[in-house]
Amino acid sequence: MDIDIVSVFPEYFDVLDLSLLGKAKSKGLISVHAHNLRDWTHDVHQSVDDTPVGGGAGMVMKPAVWAECLDELLGMHTESPDRPILIFPNPSAPLFTQQDATELSHAQHLVFGCGRYEGYDARIPAYYRERGVDVREYSIGDYVLNGGEVAVSVMLEAITRLLPGFMGNPDSIIEESYTGGNALLEHNQYTKPASWRGLDVPAVLLSGDHAKVDRFRRDEALKKTDRIRPDLIAQLDCHALSKADRKTLIELGWEVSGDHPRRIS
Ligand code: J9N
């Protein structure tokens, strides 16, 4: 996978070499290039932003500088299956999910644009979409960052850990939260000792009865998700739930019929 990142702080991405991502880089699984947007300016001040048309606070990133940069990085191939995907973090965009990470992990070439929080000219994504580029804008959560750099790091980590050969243990990826589309939060995990500072591991986990352990963990996951993220319960596919799952959800106050569970008490 080829990854280009455009930022006015390209040094920010030097730390990627220290992470697992650096390992993937040295293994040749990915190549990452961080570019300085100011390299595509022509004026002495290397200015990348200007005041908002219509007035208001802050500065807006200029379309012309971004276009000089992106024309070069995106190249001409907007129709091939290997065509690059252009991604801008944006606090006013749809949320970036595990499903997006999975889909993007299959791409050959990703180009990330880091804007500042006041924003970039809306004609930048519009122009490249018109030209046939697959352009995505994503928020990584409901909070405001100063620039897109941290958001790009988050998305990159979520995407690259899914690449075949990236992680030591592929099972741990299949088992975790948010995969599939029938997402529950993870059940609690414990290690030895079985009793520690007066706190005991649940006895069923020591029973050696695998069916009982599986059911216990599934119920714990359902209860925890009901408490912390009821929105995820409401997105479950009822048809994919076992009899035992339905029983637990009904005890928790959900009606389990139709396509999705609905809270009734
Ligand atoms: N979720 C999210 C993204 C952002 C950005 S992107 C560029 C500046 C700020 N803040 N929050």
Side-chain angles (χ1 to χ4, degrees):
M1 173 183 281
D2 298 316
I3 298 159
D4 287 292
I5 307 167
V6 181
S7 164
V8 289
F9 304 113
E11 322 80 44
Y12 176 88
F13 296 96
D14 291 351
V15 291
L16 293 183
D17 291 340
L18 304 173
S19 65
L20 267 176
L21 221 120
K23 284 222 181 75
K25 246 174 113 172
S26 48
K27 274 197 208 169
L29 270 171
I30 54 169
S31 78
V32 186
H33 291 107
H35 309 268
N36 193 335
L37 180 64
R38 296 194 198 279
D39 291 347
W40 282 270
T41 58
H42 300 292
D43 60 316
V44 278
H45 297 109
Q46 299 192 299
S47 73
V48 296
D49 51 16
D50 205 340
T51 54
V53 175
M59 298 290 272
V60 177
M61 297 191 102
K62 291 144 73 83
V65 178
W66 274 100
E68 295 231 18
C69 169
L70 294 174
D71 283 352
E72 188 175 326
L73 295 182
L74 295 170
M76 293 293 100
H77 30 267
T78 55
E79 299 301 329
S80 82
D82 281 2
R83 70 185 184 148
I85 300 176
L86 177 59
I87 303 160
F88 292 101
N90 183 331
S92 305
L95 280 176
F96 180 76
T97 66
Q98 189 65 33
Q99 194 182 317
D100 297 309
T102 301
E103 189 193 337
L104 293 171
S105 74
H106 298 116
Q108 179 50 233
H109 185 191
L110 301 178
V111 179
F112 290 94
C114 303
R116 45 185 299 157
Y117 86 93
E118 293 98 334
Y120 43 83
D121 193 301
R123 292 170 294 181
I124 301 166
Y127 173 77
Y128 288 99
R129 268 188 201 114
E130 263 181 24
R131 278 193 36 185
V133 177
D134 183 354
V135 184
R136 317 281 183 94
E137 294 171 281
Y138 292 115
S139 167
I140 62 157
D142 292 335
Y143 37 79
V144 179
L145 306 169
N146 278 322
E149 285 77 11
V150 170
V152 167
S153 303
V154 167
M155 290 190 276
L156 267 182
E157 184 151 329
I159 293 163
T160 53
R161 65 190 289 284
L162 300 174
L163 297 175
F166 184 76
M167 290 241 301
N169 178 6
D171 283 355
S172 62
I173 281 190
I174 298 160
E175 265 180 31
E176 67 201 358
S177 297
Y178 300 117
T179 40
N182 251 5
L184 293 179
L185 302 186
E186 298 261 279
H187 58 74
N188 288 348
Q189 298 279 14
Y190 303 92
T191 184
K192 293 173 276 300
S195 185
W196 174 79
R197 296 195 179 187
L199 300 175
D200 294 346
V201 166
V204 58
L205 298 178
L206 302 161
S207 71
D209 183 334
H210 295 303
K212 262 199 174 150
V213 167
D214 287 350
R215 192 62 244 162
F216 174 79
R217 286 179 164 167
R218 181 76 179 169
D219 284 341
E220 290 295 296
L222 287 164
K223 285 190 257 178
K224 187 176 183 177
T225 309
D226 170 58
R227 253 186 292 124
I228 302 174
R229 292 291 305 277
D231 58 306
L232 295 178
I233 299 284
Q235 288 169 42
L236 292 173
D237 174 10
C238 286
H239 310 288
L241 294 170
S242 68
K243 265 209 163 114
D245 288 343
R246 289 159 196 264
K247 180 167 178 287
T248 302
L249 284 173
I250 290 163
E251 283 166 9
L252 291 169
W254 294 84
E255 183 181 299
V256 188
S257 62
D259 287 345
H260 303 287
R262 285 178 306 144
R263 189 166 257 315
I264 52 169
S265 61

